[in-house]
Each structure stands twice: as structure tokens, then as C-alpha cells.
Amino acid sequence: MAELKDVKGIGPKSLALLNKIGINTIEDLVTHYPFRYEILRRNELFEVGDKEKIIIDGKIESMPILMRFKAGLNKMNFRLVTPSGVVGVSIFNRAFLKSQLTVGTGVTVIGKLDKQKNVITASDIKLETLSNKIKIEPVYHATSGLTNKNLSTYINMALLFYGKEIPDYIPSEYLEKYNFSNKKTSLNLIHNPSTEEKLKEVTIRLKYEELFAFMFKINYLKAQNKKKNQGLERNIDKDELDKFIKSIPFELTSDQLKAIDEIVSDLEANHRMNRLLQGDVGSGKTIVSFVGMVANYLSGYQSALMAPTEILANQHYNNLINFLKGTDIVVELLTGSTTKKEKSRIYDGLKDGSINMVVGTHALIQEEVLYNNLGLVITDEQHRFGVHQRANLQNKGKRPDVLYMSATPIPRTYALTIFGDMDVSTIKEKPMGRQKIDTMVKKNSEIKDVLELMYEELKNKHQVYVIAPLIEESETSDLTNVNNLKDQMKLAFKDMYNIDIVHGKMAGAAKDMIMNKFKAGDVQILISTTVIEVGVDVPNATTMVIFDADRFGLSTLHQLRGRVGRGTSKSQCILISDSDTERLKIMERVDDGFEISEEDFKLRGHGDLFGTKQSGDMAFKIANIREDYKILLQAKKDSREYLLNKDTNNDELKIKLINSITKG
Ligand code: ADP
Ligand code: MG
């Protein structure tokens, strides 16, 4: 295939500029789609403002006067009669048109209107009145030195000479089925649409193509995963497992039981488990994962549970130990702050198999960590980890089953794409006795009410979280910082209550110490940055006050809010902000995480939902999965059908699609 530098008009300088905006091949170039279009309708003179673009039909009223300047420059002037009045037209360097621009000729003039002078400086004159009512101009993401016009020219040159070579990722049977135009025609149309209807049609076709290729890959990965004998052989002692489940001091919800059932069946099946356990904050995913770990243990394998923060790893470890009291299962905790001596003891135990379960942070995926027979890997708050880190952990064992947990409910389109290669268990139901958390948006001027509310709760022996977005004033001076908040709280509550701080820059041990004090009830007011966002569980904490709430996405706020309302007492969450209150009020109304994530998704895209780590995986050129759910579903269905159709196994396209996955 020809290269970018072969395209007429692209020299070394423009090549470098194209590379700069990520265009490296001819295919990149012709799929550099307009990010919007300027739709130009024919105007009347009075519709257009001064120095604005105008497209207008009319008849030439005066013979054009031609002026020639030095260096080949020339200019023509004439008067144009339009339905809304007479206007002067001047155009540069079109001397060659003069013979055709006779009095009485109908033309379309495209240019800029100067209202004072009543003159259009034309960029183009068309010798007939526009056959279409509108002209649609593509607008591209460009860069300095590379104009919209340059891009348009290069793209059209590339299409003219190499258009036939651009691969089409839609199999011919689907092209036929949907009556889609071929790739070259479609590309021509997307870059030079003739009508809005055509543009719409071809946009759908190109979106479908992109989603088809994407979903094909996902379906392929899923099928690979399911292939027989890929998992571990195991036998789970169900009586023992039942005994463990019965020992749990509360009644599991039916969603929890269902999830457990799905996980246990996956463990037993000879395919490898690749499952996402999703449930709103506080829905009780942890215990479900513990049951999975016990089932795994009962079939003779080691389990590893990875959490994104030390606080959370600690909490899981302590809970797990509690639940496992009375069994002889050996559990260890491995985090960044585990001492060297301890570490090497744990490494030995994992290697020789004397440790059955390990809970930890990223420390679990360090190179030195070797497992004897890792059978189950669980990552909590999975969206906090990059794809790469997850893969690292999975590769620690031979073919461990894998369970991901996420408390960020994922809008259904995203679930399909990001987690499309996984099976999903969903916990919707909350454990019994949980009450809705009252959420209120307050202004900074209402701080007195907030303090009073805090005081009421504290008096009732409950605890309070206070959240601030940043740690140090230096980061941005207008944000309330934790130390400031501590002083304020001290001032308000004198020495009646113990107040402490945790933040992200603290050493693990220091953080743990304070968290433990809070858990034990020795600290009543905990001031924190978002380190406590994920997973922390202190049922006696009933109130959360979030300062500068407008700085957070709704999903983050929902996660934070989920730290309260964990016991049986009524809980509340107060969002303090002087701006963006419309958005924040959504939190007052909605308490379902799924609904909130949809709202967030609409407002902010997926940035807040997944951190930055996964956004790279989601780069679509034309499809927009916020809007193209229907196309996505169809592409998913078709690509699966295509994948499973054995008759197409020798298709060049199919082989190409598969190769592109194994390479990536
Ligand atoms: P999340 O799904 O957010 O990770 P957790 O697993 O931390 O939630 O559970 C929140 C709290 O609810 C924990 O204290 C847990 O022990 C408790 N819990 C879980 N399941 C139940 C249940 N079925 N009944 C009562 N409490 C439960
Ligand atoms: Mg959790």
C-alpha cells in the first residue's frame, strides 16, 4: 500500500504536521473524519451579519471590471442582483472566469459580506445557482500550519488515487444486508457530503463499521476465554462451603446468593472465569468475593485479593480474618508498608503453598511474588487499576480464575464495550435495614446549619467524615484544605471531640493508624481527601460533609456518600458548594448508583467513571457510544454471528481482524 508521503501535495513539512496530529498512514488520513460540518444554506442579504459568511444566488447586473496587479494578481468587481437587493461582489484571481460572467448570468456567490460597503469579498463563484439548497463543509481537527483546506485537499487526493485500497471492515454479507455503500464511496461522502440525508446515512455506516470491528475483537476474546479446558480442574466440597455460608452472621441477599452461585459455577466449569461483579456501594460485594475465595480454597488453590489502597487492603484483610475464625485457612496481608522481613516470610509462604490466601495492594504483583498454585485472583474497585496491572496479576498463576469487583455502576453501553469480554454478575438489592441517605446541597454561607447538624449526630455518639478535595493550599489556593478544615472544626467543637486527618500523601502506616482509631471510635471527626473514597466501612459514621463538592464528578460523590448509611441509623450527606448546584441537586434526588453514573456519563463522558487509565482503550474515531447504543447492539450481534460462522473462517477479513487482536 502507498504511503502518506506518496499522496500528491504532501511534502516533508506537511508530513511532519500530519504525524503530529496522529496521522501516519493513508488509512489514518482518510479516516480523519470531520468533527463537525458547517452547513451553509443560501442566505438573503439581511440574514447575514457584518463580516459574516454568505452564500447567495443572483444575476449579474453589471459587466465585471477586471484589474490586473503585479505578480499575476488580479481582481474583478461586478454588481449582483439578488431577491433581497443589489450587492457588490469582488473576487481575486478569477480573471479566467471573465468571459463567462456576462450580464444576466445566474451565479452563486460564496464569500464574506461587508455590510458597510455593501460588498461581498467572494472566495468562490459558481456558474450556476446551487442545485442543492445547502452546501455542507467539513470541519477538521487541524493544527497550526495545517489548515482545514489543506486537510480537505490531502484527504480528497488520497481518496482519488488510493481510495480503492482502503480496507473495509464490514463483511460483504452485511454490506448487502444493510444496503451500505462501499468504503470508498462512504469515505468520499463523509468528507464531501452532498445532502444532510446522505451524510446521516453514511455516518451510520461508518459508525457501524468501527463498532463492528471493535465488537468482533471483544467477541473473539470472549470466545477464546471460554474455549474448553482453559480453566483449572477442580472439585469443590459443597458441604464445607455451605457450612461457611451459614457461619456468616447476616442473611445474604438473593442477589448476593445469585452472584455466589454464578461464581462457584464458573470455578467448577472447565473454562476460565472472567467475571465482573458489579454492585452499588454498600451492596455487599466483599462477602461474595470471600465466599469465592473459600470455594477456591476448598478445591485446593491459593487466592489473591488485590485492592487499590492500603486502607482498603487492611480492611479486607481484617474482615476476612474475622469471617474465617475457627477455620485453619492461613491468610496474610501484603502491602507497600509490610516490613522487609515480613515480606520475605510471606513470599516464602506463597511459594511453598503454606499461605492459602493473600490480601494486598500492588505489592501482590511485584516480580518477586511467586505463587505455589494460584487459582483465583480478585481485584476490588477494578477500574482503579490499568488493564496492564490486571493482566500482571492474572499471569501470576497458571490459569487462575479471575473476578473483578466494581462499585462504579457502569452505563450499559460502557459495560458492553469495556467489559464486553467478561461475564457480569450484578447486585442491585441492598442488604436489609438500609435507609436512604439524606442528601442536601448547602452554600458556604450556611455552614452554621451544617455544624449544628454535625453536632447533633456527634451528640448521639455517631461519627462524621469531612471531605476536602485537595491536600495543600499550594495546589490551588481557593480550595479549602484539610488543615484549614481541621482548624475550623477545632474552633467549632472545642475539645469535645477528637479530630484527625488522613490524606493521600501520608505514609501507609500513619494512614492505617488513624483509620483504625476512627473505626474504633476514638476519633469522631475524620477529615480526609478522597483516599477514603473506595471501600472504607465504618457503620457508626452517619454523616458526611463534602466541601467544594462541585469539584467532584457525580460518581465520585456517590462513592463518597456510600461511606455513610452502612449501619441501621439514618445517615446524611451534605454537599457544600456555591456553584454548579443544578448538577449537585441530582444527588439529592437520585440514590441509585446506576442512574447516577448515567447522569455523570451524559454530563462528563467517561472521564470520571474510569479515571484516565482506560480512556485510551476507548478511542473511537466516529462512533460515540454515548449516542450510538443501538448501532452498538446491532454490531455486537452481527459480529458475533460472523465470528461463529464457520463458512467465513477463510475470509481475508476475518483473518485480518483476528490478527489485529493478537498483535495488539
Ligand atoms: P461494597 O459492595 O460497597 O464493597 P461491602 O462489601 O463493603 O460493600 O459491604 C458493606 C457492608 O455491608 C459491610 O459491613 C458488610 O459486612 C455488610 N453486608 C454485606 N452483605 C450484607 C447482608 N446481606 N446483610 C447485612 N449486611 C451485609
Ligand atoms: Mg467494596
Side-chain angles (χ1 to χ4, degrees):
M1 170 129 195
E3 290 175 52
L4 209 47
K5 64 174 168 50
D6 303 329
V7 175
K8 248 195 184 139
I10 299 186
K13 219 176 111 201
S14 35
L15 186 66
L17 289 169
L18 287 168
N19 292 163
K20 195 175 131 195
I21 57 172
I23 298 175
N24 298 303
T25 64
I26 290 184
E27 187 174 354
D28 290 344
L29 178 66
V30 297
T31 54
H32 185 72
Y33 299 118
F35 73 95
R36 66 182 180 86
Y37 294 86
E38 218 155 272
I39 296 181
L40 304 171
R41 281 161 226 285
R42 275 175 298 184
N43 310 113
E44 306 270 8
L45 282 171
F46 54 79
E47 291 173 341
V48 176
D50 190 32
K51 304 277 175 357
E52 277 179 12
K53 190 155 187 168
I54 185 165
I55 301 181
I56 193 158
D57 284 349
K59 275 203 172 106
I60 295 181
E61 192 199 46
S62 69
M63 184 116 110
I65 298 166
L66 178 66
M67 287 166 281
R68 290 188 186 275
F69 309 105
K70 287 188 283 207
L73 201 64
N74 62 69
K75 184 182 173 188
M76 233 177 342
N77 293 333
F78 60 87
R79 278 199 313 278
L80 186 74
V81 190
T82 78
S84 48
V86 178
V87 66
V89 176
S90 65
I91 185 159
F92 285 94
N93 293 339
R94 298 293 158 95
F96 58 89
L97 284 180
K98 186 167 187 295
S99 61
Q100 285 153 288
L101 299 178
T102 52
V103 174
T105 309
V107 291
T108 299
V109 172
I110 300 165
K112 222 178 234 171
L113 177 66
D114 184 324
K115 289 211 119 165
Q116 259 95 57
K117 294 183 187 151
N118 192 32
V119 165
I120 299 172
T121 306
S123 56
D124 203 7
I125 292 177
K126 297 197 184 299
L127 286 171
E128 67 251 272
T129 45
L130 283 181
S131 52
N132 300 313
K133 283 231 174 334
I134 57 163
K135 180 169 158 56
I136 307 175
E137 280 187 353
V139 183
Y140 297 99
H141 282 296
T143 183
S144 84
L146 195 64
T147 62
N148 203 57
K149 183 123 197 199
N150 292 150
L151 275 166
S152 173
T153 309
Y154 301 153
I155 288 168
N156 284 313
M157 276 297 166
L159 282 174
L160 185 64
F161 288 97
Y162 311 108
K164 281 223 160 67
E165 295 174 41
I166 309 298
D168 191 338
Y169 300 101
I170 306 179
S172 53
E173 59 262 44
Y174 296 98
L175 282 178
E176 265 165 49
K177 180 174 168 193
Y178 299 118
N179 208 2
F180 283 152
S181 50
N182 68 37
K183 184 69 172 269
K184 185 179 168 180
T185 309
S186 311
L187 289 172
N188 264 323
L189 273 169
I190 198 89
H191 292 293
N192 309 286
S194 51
T195 64
E196 282 172 291
E197 294 80 63
K198 276 253 158 45
L199 176 60
K200 207 167 156 189
E201 240 176 74
V202 77
T203 303
I204 290 174
R205 183 256 189 245
L206 291 169
K207 284 178 169 186
Y208 174 87
E209 178 182 5
E210 189 168 39
L211 292 169
F212 183 94
F214 184 82
M215 291 314 297
F216 180 91
K217 291 175 193 180
I218 288 199
N219 283 323
Y220 179 82
L221 289 172
K222 195 163 177 171
Q224 287 295 98
N225 238 347
K226 284 263 155 73
K227 266 206 178 138
K228 279 192 169 181
N229 302 322
Q230 284 234 324
L232 295 166
E233 292 277 332
R234 53 169 103 231
N235 242 321
I236 299 169
D237 185 335
K238 292 286 174 43
D239 291 339
E240 282 298 313
L241 188 62
D242 275 346
K243 249 193 237 165
F244 173 70
I245 293 174
K246 291 220 172 73
S247 79
I248 297 171
F250 43 73
E251 189 96 12
L252 293 173
T253 64
S254 57
D255 278 353
Q256 284 174 316
L257 288 169
K258 186 163 161 262
I260 288 172
D261 196 48
E262 287 164 344
I263 291 164
V264 171
S265 317
D266 272 359
L267 290 177
E268 283 185 316
N270 51 11
H271 63 247
R272 189 175 175 184
M273 174 165 76
N274 186 35
R275 182 171 288 279
L276 172 72
L277 174 59
Q278 70 165 336
D280 209 346
V281 269
S283 61
K285 295 180 291 293
T286 317
I287 188 68
V288 172
S289 74
F290 288 172
V291 175
M293 289 166 86
V294 170
N296 179 55
Y297 165 81
L298 290 173
S299 63
Y301 290 99
Q302 291 171 301
S303 311
L305 171 57
M306 182 161 80
T309 63
E310 293 207 6
I311 292 179
L312 198 53
N314 260 305
Q315 178 182 297
H316 284 335
Y317 172 74
N318 290 322
N319 277 336
L320 185 58
I321 296 225
N322 255 330
F323 282 115
L324 294 180
K325 249 181 212 144
T327 71
D328 44 18
I329 302 177
V330 181
V331 188
E332 293 289 349
L333 174 70
L334 183 64
T335 70
S337 38
T338 309
T339 62
K340 248 196 166 155
K341 206 170 130 210
E342 269 288 287
K343 264 186 192 155
S344 80
R345 185 181 64 77
I346 294 172
Y347 291 168
D348 289 346
L350 287 172
K351 205 165 150 189
D352 67 23
S354 58
I355 295 174
N356 308 116
M357 297 178 180
V358 64
V359 179
T361 54
H362 298 87
L364 293 180
I365 52 174
Q366 303 309 309
E367 235 174 276
E368 313 87 85
V369 190
L370 300 171
Y371 295 83
N372 185 274
N373 62 348
L374 185 61
L376 176 62
V377 169
I378 300 171
T379 54
D380 193 13
E381 307 297 342
Q382 74 74 35
H383 63 285
R384 291 284 171 128
F385 295 100
V387 175
H388 181 66
Q389 286 167 321
R390 298 194 320 223
N392 261 344
L393 185 53
Q394 285 169 42
N395 293 335
K396 285 282 176 189
K398 281 205 194 75
R399 309 206 137 273
D401 286 300
V402 184
L403 181 69
Y404 302 101
M405 294 195 277
S406 175
T408 306
I410 292 141
R412 48 197 189 147
T413 34
Y414 263 117
L416 260 183
T417 49
I418 303 189
F419 302 123
D421 60 332
M422 297 183 194
D423 295 308
V424 181
S425 297
T426 304
I427 305 181
K428 281 227 146 152
E429 197 184 351
K430 294 245 164 94
M432 291 268 283
R434 292 284 161 78
Q435 300 181 44
K436 185 170 184 281
I437 302 161
D438 280 337
T439 303
M440 290 154 272
V441 180
K442 296 266 182 195
K443 292 213 156 52
N444 277 301
S445 57
E446 296 170 288
I447 188 79
K448 216 174 139 233
D449 302 349
V450 177
L451 290 170
E452 262 164 33
L453 205 146
M454 284 173 71
Y455 182 61
E456 282 304 308
E457 284 301 309
L458 290 161
K459 232 173 42 188
N460 288 326
K461 302 258 175 307
H462 292 144
Q463 289 159 283
V464 179
Y465 292 106
V466 176
I467 309 290
L470 284 178
I471 314 159
E472 282 158 35
E473 199 148 25
S474 61
E475 295 195 67
T476 54
S477 51
D478 62 340
L479 288 180
T480 323
N481 72 60
V482 280
N483 287 315
N484 246 338
L485 275 176
K486 188 173 172 185
D487 295 344
Q488 279 185 34
M489 294 297 149
K490 276 248 146 79
L491 211 61
F493 295 107
K494 305 288 182 304
D495 290 325
M496 287 189 286
Y497 302 105
N498 291 328
I499 304 171
D500 224 324
I501 292 179
V502 285
H503 60 72
K505 286 189 182 158
M506 259 175 162
K511 241 187 277 180
D512 291 347
M513 204 177 75
I514 294 167
M515 280 320 292
N516 287 335
K517 277 201 207 158
F518 188 65
K519 270 193 181 179
D522 297 338
V523 166
Q524 289 87 39
I525 302 176
L526 185 70
I527 301 174
S528 167
T529 56
T530 47
V531 282
I532 59 136
E533 179 197 337
V534 284
V536 174
D537 190 33
V538 181
N540 190 48
T542 54
T543 301
M544 171 166 290
V545 180
I546 304 177
F547 282 86
D548 291 316
D550 53 298
R551 306 268 164 167
F552 299 102
L554 296 182
S555 292
T556 301
L557 290 173
H558 182 67
Q559 293 278 309
L560 284 168
R561 174 171 70 178
R563 301 306 112 213
V564 297
R566 302 202 141 224
T568 42
S569 307
K570 186 81 188 159
S571 290
Q572 52 257 309
C573 173
I574 299 150
L575 307 174
I576 301 183
S577 167
D578 290 340
S579 60
D580 209 7
T581 37
E582 271 316 296
R583 183 173 68 96
L584 294 175
K585 284 202 185 284
I586 294 175
M587 299 295 296
E588 291 183 348
R589 228 173 38 235
V590 187
D591 72 337
D592 172 57
F594 284 88
E595 216 177 300
I596 284 178
S597 72
E598 295 279 358
E599 294 282 349
D600 221 2
F601 192 40
K602 273 188 229 150
L603 291 166
R604 303 169 48 123
H606 58 80
D608 188 51
L609 294 173
F610 304 107
T612 46
K613 276 176 180 142
Q614 268 163 342
S615 32
D617 302 356
M618 303 296 302
F620 289 106
K621 282 187 160 180
I622 190 165
N624 173 343
I625 61 173
R626 253 188 275 181
E627 290 158 11
D628 302 328
Y629 186 61
K630 275 195 185 141
I631 307 177
L632 179 74
L633 280 188
Q634 194 61 48
K636 179 181 178 234
K637 184 168 164 277
D638 294 345
S639 62
R640 194 180 136 74
E641 184 183 88
Y642 179 62
L643 176 71
L644 298 180
N645 181 358
K646 292 210 169 46
D647 296 343
T648 58
N649 278 355
N650 291 323
D651 274 18
E652 215 176 293
L653 173 60
K654 197 168 195 172
I655 293 163
K656 189 168 178 172
L657 281 167
I658 290 170
N659 283 340
S660 75
I661 304 164
T662 37
K663 257 190 281 153

